[in-house]
Amino acid sequence: MKLKTLFLLFLLALPLTALAQGLPTITVGIGEATEPGEVSTALQILIVLTILSVAPAILLMTTGFTRIVIVLSFVRQAMGTQQAPSNQIVIGLALFLTFFVMAPIFERINDNALQPYLDKKINQEQALEQALVPMRDFMFSQVGEKDLQLLVDISKSPQPENQADISMLTLIPAFMLSELKRAFQMGFLLFIPFLVVDMIVASVLMSMGMMMLPPIIISLPFKILLFVLVDGWSLVIGSLVQSFG
């Protein structure tokens, strides 16, 4: 019996071995650089990998993704639908709305930084400086003065005379703080109509003596119906996009 089992495993391993022989292999190693160009190429690869690893954080910190995903999460919680829509749908919709809102900024970066760099008209440092200009303009248009002043006071840096004196290390957390504040303000406004429906349903159930029945079970269909009748998704998304104007 053992011989039959070993023979069967041997027969199953033959196709896998033949398939593996036709596949390419990838090896990663560290060797001694003999020319300065090899060192430069290795450093460029390392920098690119580092940028790719922090790209999600850059997207979260310097775009409207934070506000959009928080407001969409508040909509789901206010309706009480638990996991409908799911986290994947909420994050995916927030990402595409972020790309839609940031499209003019990305076009400016492409025209002023990326394309001139690809055409070898400017170097990497100049391309980075040109790419930061549209991003800074966007963040300055959305950041609150109080939040910006708070970060300036915390950093104990000299009082800036203009926007050029404010560093990215100060601007980015101030922008994030403003986005969180504005997202929670919009979330509060979203909760009010659903809270009214919950209160009405709870009052009706108490007047009927049905105190053992959870009001959320009865109010959920009415909240979904209200949201559908007023075309809630269009109102929420339209308000979100217009809030960046």
Side-chain angles (χ1 to χ4, degrees), residues 7-241:
F7 182 70
L8 180 60
L9 293 175
F10 176 74
L11 292 178
L12 293 175
L14 284 177
L16 296 177
T17 305
L19 180 62
Q21 290 178 355
L23 294 177
T25 59
I26 300 176
T27 58
V28 179
I30 300 176
E32 183 179 357
T34 58
E35 298 180 1
E38 296 179 359
V39 178
S40 177
T41 303
L43 291 177
Q44 290 178 2
I45 295 175
L46 180 62
I47 293 173
V48 170
L49 292 177
T50 303
I51 293 176
L52 290 177
S53 64
V54 301
I58 296 175
L59 176 65
L60 293 177
M61 291 186 295
T62 59
T63 64
F65 178 81
T66 302
R67 185 193 310 181
I68 295 173
V69 74
I70 290 176
V71 172
L72 293 179
S73 300
F74 270 127
V75 173
R76 183 177 62 183
Q77 294 179 6
M79 287 192 297
T81 54
Q82 302 300 326
Q83 296 298 322
S86 63
N87 292 330
Q88 292 83 356
I89 295 176
V90 171
I91 295 175
L93 180 59
L95 281 174
F96 279 102
L97 287 177
T98 302
F99 293 146
F100 178 79
V101 171
M102 301 296 295
I105 291 89
F106 292 156
E107 289 180 0
R108 289 179 55 190
I109 294 175
N110 180 65
D111 296 336
N112 300 334
L114 181 59
Q115 293 302 324
Y117 173 72
L118 295 178
D119 295 337
K120 298 183 180 180
K121 296 180 180 178
I122 57 177
N123 55 30
Q124 293 181 357
E125 183 178 355
Q126 293 173 337
L128 180 60
E129 293 177 356
Q130 292 295 328
L132 288 178
V133 173
M135 297 300 301
R136 286 175 61 89
D137 292 342
F138 170 77
M139 287 188 285
F140 275 119
S141 66
Q142 302 298 322
V143 70
E145 294 183 2
K146 293 183 179 180
D147 301 325
L148 194 58
Q149 185 62 46
L150 174 64
L151 268 298
V152 172
D153 295 337
I154 293 176
S155 63
K156 297 180 180 180
S157 58
Q159 191 67 22
E161 298 181 358
N162 49 45
Q163 295 181 355
D165 296 336
I166 301 176
S167 65
M168 293 294 291
L169 294 178
T170 302
L171 177 59
I172 291 177
F175 171 76
M176 287 289 294
L177 183 59
S178 298
E179 289 294 288
L180 290 173
K181 184 185 299 184
R182 192 170 288 109
F184 274 77
Q185 291 173 351
M186 298 180 69
F188 170 76
L189 296 177
L190 287 171
F191 261 93
I192 293 178
F194 298 108
L195 180 61
V196 172
V197 174
D198 287 333
M199 294 176 62
I200 294 175
V201 171
S203 300
V204 172
L205 292 178
M206 291 183 63
S207 64
M208 296 175 62
M210 303 174 66
M211 292 179 292
M212 299 301 294
L213 182 63
I216 186 64
I217 298 179
I218 306 301
S219 63
L220 179 58
F222 290 100
K223 290 191 289 187
I224 294 177
L225 179 62
L226 173 64
F227 194 73
V228 172
L229 290 177
V230 300
D231 199 7
W233 287 114
S234 297
L235 292 176
V236 171
I237 293 177
S239 301
L240 272 172
V241 174

